[in-house]
Amino acid sequence: AITNVPDSPLAKAAHDVIALNAGPELSVAATKTFTCTMASLLLLSAAIGRNTELRTQLKRLPDTLAEVLEDEGHVRGKVERFRYLSECVVLGRGYNLSTAYELALKMRETSYIRAQPFASPDFVHGPIAIIAEGYPVIAFANKGKALASVMDVIAAVQARGAEAVVIGNAKEALAAADVAFPLSTSLEVPEVVSPFPSIVIGQLFAEALAVLRGVDPDQPRGLSKVTITR
């Protein structure tokens, strides 16, 4: 079990427990538990593979995220144009597929936007038919093996008139974007850890958009912190 509550029923039912130690998650729309879960999985991978380089990259993350958070004002400054957004798609691939799913979830939870996540290559096999002039497509584009595929889809949706919104550190993708949210950090961000700063930008975007639309992002309508699953 990977959990932020070590004495939870899930933890008691499991043979082994990885505690997130993230502290109380007060907002209904959880953020740090998502980030800590990713970190725990990577730490587990590094331990199993005895990957010292990955451990070093993870240790640098606090400094990377601190730099990204310092750029919060620039993120908020670009949110106004999305005030009346009602639907969009969010694309990612490889390590950043989960990043796309997390941002889409946060936009649905906090601003009630019909945000649909897709793996970037899967999107062109049918779903791309929804693209019309001005349709927003948010893509995570970071340096690495997945970038070429993401770039192809950005070009494809722009050819159909979509508005491409790019989050990442790939200069060519940011240059091609209609709206760019660069990862503002002086530190190197390898693809394997790129989801961490990328989703922080995404979560800042979702929170700022909710506030702009007059919604309390900590208390979305119809949601509670605990749900009963049977």
Side-chain angles (χ1 to χ4, degrees), residues 20-36:
L20 297 182
N21 299 311
E25 184 78 76
L26 302 180
S27 172
V28 171
T31 52
K32 62 185 179 181
T33 45
F34 173 82
T35 307
C36 288

Side-chain angles (χ1 to χ4, degrees), residues 28 108-114 213 215-224:
V28 171
R108 291 196 300 267
E109 286 179 324
T110 60
S111 289
Y112 320 132
I113 292 166
R114 295 185 296 277
R213 291 159 68 102
V215 179
D216 181 355
D218 292 331
Q219 298 293 329
R221 68 189 182 198
L223 298 182
S224 61

Side-chain angles (χ1 to χ4, degrees), residues 28 34 38 46 63 69 127 130 136 175 199 218:
V28 171
F34 173 82
M38 289 198 300
D63 292 333
L69 286 168
I130 67 175
I199 198 52
D218 292 331

Side-chain angles (χ1 to χ4, degrees), residues 5 14 44 61 66-67 77 82 143 149 161 205:
V5 185
L44 179 61
L61 276 177
E67 282 196 56
F82 303 101
K143 292 181 287 187
S149 168
F205 173 85

Side-chain angles (χ1 to χ4, degrees), residues 40 49 58 64 71-72 79 114 128 151:
S40 294
L58 284 166
T64 301
D71 202 40
E72 179 179 352
V79 170
R114 295 185 296 277
I128 197 171
M151 289 292 297

